[in-house]
């Protein structure tokens, strides 16, 4: 048993190095070490959004696979995530790691045909990443066998609770052997998530990170004293024009609004003003959502207009600017929206466009959340974006994907 664990350690270390990850955060090392030392214990991991939790549980997953060394067949590792976007992101991390140790993975998500996913399962999949609805459908139809699971990961447990999936998750976990290790991964392990915590075996391993791991900001969700969020007071008639000035200064920008209709409307206005923009919301097909994310990630579309669907789980490098055009229905998502910039230690700017009558409400929200924010004029904010873009280019060794300033006057909202 000991030699098997040693071999798995070398294999996973090689995978991490091959992925270009030169330094693991201390909490990632702690999670892996504790899980390997106590293979019979469940794990609770609480860490901020964007802190690197996927790599932490991926290492545990492949160490556990090496420990039991199963033949390829029914899955041995199950990862449950709340949304299709997060499922795809986890799959992008886990799939190459699986190939690197001669294992197979499968992505099971709603909104697409069952047939390709069933074919992947038929070929054998050691690791399955899935959304609750699709997993339950397959379990109830007898198409997904979870009787060989040795590790079940519940990722973004707090988000699963927010979306009302906890009963579904409990039903899925009921199909997993009682001897399997459960791992809860969440930005918080309080509130509705307590139901899942209570379902863990006695004396689980608990690992919590305080603030940002290794002292490196992973997203600007709360802002910092050096890089606070900026409140820019605007009048409604100038909102479209003022947003355009911000977008012209940034090579890659995320614009957050509240509803699907608003996302489509704003993406249309941005395009009318001569700027390229993609749109992301829950009313789109899976293929259209993936296309929008890929276009934004590759720089083909420098602006992504999104609802809170993109507030969690969307990890795109070098997003210079996040703009809150409309507040979220859930103020906690303000932090997750803002955390899409300033990731991996790179700089970023978060801007909250507010009307004068919204000031007290916004300031009260910031105080409740502990957000570091300041008032700024539009010219001051544009200068901050310019400085951020220059810093990004220095950090990345060259220019970012860029759309040049257009110098056009945007029409009013009419």
């Amino acid at each position: 048993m000991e030699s098997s664990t040693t071999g798995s350690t070398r294999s996973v270390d090689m995978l991490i190095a091959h992925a270009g990850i030169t330094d693991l955060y201390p909490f990632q090392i702690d999670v892996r070490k504790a899980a390997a030392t106590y293979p019979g214990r469940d794990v609770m991991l609480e860490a901020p959004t964007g802190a690197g939790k996927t790599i932490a549980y991926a290492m545990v997953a492949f160490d556990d696979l090496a420990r039991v060394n199963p033949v390829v067949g029914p899955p041995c590792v199950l990862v449950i995530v709340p949304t299709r976007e997060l499922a795809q992101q986890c799959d992008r991390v886990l799939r190459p790691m699986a190939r690197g140790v001669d294992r197979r993975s499968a992505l099971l998500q709603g909104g697409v045909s069952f047939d390709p996913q069933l074919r992947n399962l038929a070929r054998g999949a050691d690791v399955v990443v899935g959304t609750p609805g699709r997993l339950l459908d397959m379990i109830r139809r007898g198409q997904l066998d979870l009787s060989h699971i040795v590790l079940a990961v519940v990722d973004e447990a707090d988000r699963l609770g927010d979306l009302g999936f906890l009963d579904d998750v409990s039903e899925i976990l009921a199909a997993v052997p009682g001897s399997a290790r459960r791992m809860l991964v969440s930005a918080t392990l309080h509130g509705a998530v307590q139901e899942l915590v209570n379902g863990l075996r006695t004396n689980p391993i608990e690992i919590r990170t305080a603030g940002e791991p290794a002292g490196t900001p992973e997203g600007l969700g709360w802002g910092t004293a050096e890089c606070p969020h900026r409140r820019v007071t605007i009048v409604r008639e100038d909102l479209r024009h003022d947003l355009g000035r911000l977008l012209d200064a940034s090579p890659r920008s995320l614009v957050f609004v509240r509803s699907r209709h608003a996302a489509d409307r704003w993406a249309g206005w941005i395009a009318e003003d001569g700027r390229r923009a993609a749109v992301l919301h829950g009313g789109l097909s899976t293929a259209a959502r993936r296309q929008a994310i890929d276009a934004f990630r590759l720089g083909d579309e420098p602006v992504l207009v999104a609802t809170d669907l993109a507030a969690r789980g969307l990890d795109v490098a070098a997003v210079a600017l996040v703009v809150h055009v409309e507040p979220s229905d859930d103020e906690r998502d303000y932090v997750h929206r803002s955390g899409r910039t300033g990731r991996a230690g790179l700089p970023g700017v978060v801007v909250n466009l507010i009307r004068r009558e919204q000031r007290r409400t916004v300031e009260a929200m910031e105080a409740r959340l502990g957000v570091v924010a300041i008032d700024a004029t539009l010219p001051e904010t544009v200068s901050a974006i310019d400085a951020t873009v220059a810093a990004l280019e220095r950090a990345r060794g060259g220019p970012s994907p860029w759309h040049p300033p257009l110098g056009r006057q945007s029409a009013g909202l009419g």
Side-chain angles (χ1 to χ4, degrees):
M1 183 70 70
E2 186 173 338
S3 62
S4 174
T5 302
T6 303
S8 76
T9 298
R10 283 197 297 267
S11 298
V12 175
D13 285 341
M14 290 173 62
L15 289 172
I16 295 296
H18 183 69
I21 301 171
T22 55
D23 294 298
L24 293 170
Y25 293 134
F27 90 89
Q28 293 171 326
I29 298 170
D30 291 343
V31 169
R32 184 184 181 192
K33 182 179 179 180
T37 303
Y38 304 102
R41 291 170 62 180
D42 294 339
V43 179
M44 296 193 306
L45 171 59
E46 184 178 82
T49 297
K53 297 187 289 289
T54 306
I55 290 296
Y57 69 70
M59 292 190 295
V60 174
F62 289 107
D63 283 344
D64 279 0
L65 274 174
R67 178 169 50 83
V68 300
N69 194 26
V71 296
V72 176
C76 290
V77 173
L78 171 67
V79 181
I80 307 170
V81 296
T83 66
R84 292 175 237 171
E85 285 67 34
L86 187 57
Q88 292 159 14
Q89 181 170 304
C90 291
D91 182 63
R92 282 195 297 271
V93 174
L94 293 170
R95 185 176 296 273
M97 292 184 73
R99 284 199 300 264
V101 289
D102 297 322
R103 297 291 176 184
R104 294 178 181 173
S105 65
L107 174 61
L108 307 180
Q109 58 175 338
V112 295
S113 170
F114 277 82
D115 293 340
Q117 298 177 7
L118 291 174
R119 286 195 294 270
N120 283 340
L121 288 176
R123 285 194 289 265
D126 302 285
V127 180
V128 162
V129 179
T131 52
R134 180 51 56 94
L135 291 172
L136 266 185
D137 281 346
M138 288 187 162
I139 291 169
R140 291 168 177 170
R141 296 180 184 194
Q143 297 168 331
L144 178 61
D145 177 10
L146 299 182
S147 64
H148 292 72
I149 295 295
V150 298
L151 172 66
V153 179
V154 181
D155 194 5
E156 295 278 0
D158 57 334
R159 185 61 167 168
L160 284 161
D162 290 343
L163 295 174
F165 286 135
L166 292 188
D167 288 344
D168 292 345
V169 172
S170 295
E171 185 175 344
I172 294 167
L173 292 178
V176 171
S179 59
R181 188 205 301 269
R182 270 86 167 159
M183 188 170 182
L184 293 187
V185 182
S186 183
T188 175
L189 290 170
H190 302 292
V193 178
Q194 191 63 42
E195 178 184 331
L196 295 177
V197 172
N198 293 339
L200 297 179
R201 289 173 291 187
T202 304
N203 195 27
I205 299 165
E206 296 185 37
I207 296 178
R208 289 178 166 86
T209 68
E212 326 299 0
T216 303
E218 192 65 48
L220 290 175
W222 281 275
T224 66
E226 297 77 20
C227 193
H229 298 182
R230 287 166 170 81
R231 283 183 236 103
V232 177
T233 303
I234 50 90
V235 295
R236 185 177 183 276
E237 291 74 16
D238 293 336
L239 177 55
R240 184 167 162 182
H241 170 263
D242 291 347
L243 175 62
R245 288 184 62 186
L246 298 177
L247 298 181
D248 280 345
S250 169
R252 184 173 284 155
S253 309
L254 254 172
V255 176
F256 279 106
V257 294
R258 180 180 288 155
S259 67
R260 301 174 183 181
H261 175 68
D264 289 333
R265 184 175 68 242
W266 274 103
W269 283 336
I270 291 169
E272 283 179 10
D273 293 336
R275 304 174 181 91
R276 300 194 309 277
V279 65
L280 179 65
H281 57 65
L284 301 174
S285 68
T286 298
R289 288 152 73 171
R290 184 183 299 115
Q291 183 178 11
I293 293 171
D294 288 345
F296 184 59
R297 177 175 285 113
L298 295 172
D300 297 333
E301 300 286 359
V303 180
L304 181 64
V305 183
T307 62
D308 288 332
L309 181 72
R312 306 194 192 202
L314 182 64
D315 191 0
V316 176
V319 173
L321 175 66
V322 165
V323 185
H324 302 273
V325 171
E326 295 177 347
S328 171
D329 289 325
D330 183 345
E331 67 179 28
R332 291 173 298 176
D333 278 330
Y334 176 88
V335 174
H336 294 289
R337 288 175 169 190
S338 303
R340 299 311 99 198
T341 188
R343 300 176 71 80
L346 295 174
V349 176
V350 177
V351 179
N352 200 356
L353 296 177
I354 63 172
R355 297 191 301 276
R356 193 171 302 280
E357 61 269 23
Q358 295 174 311
R359 172 173 298 280
R360 286 188 178 180
T361 301
V362 170
E363 289 178 342
M365 175 201 69
E366 292 165 349
R368 286 192 297 272
L369 294 173
V371 167
V372 180
I374 60 171
D375 289 311
T377 65
L378 191 66
E380 288 170 345
T381 304
V382 170
S383 295
I385 297 170
D386 288 340
T388 294
V389 171
L392 281 171
E393 292 180 352
R394 289 194 299 271
R396 295 172 66 84
S400 302
W402 187 257
H403 64 297
L406 301 174
R408 295 180 52 178
Q409 289 287 328
S410 301
L413 289 177

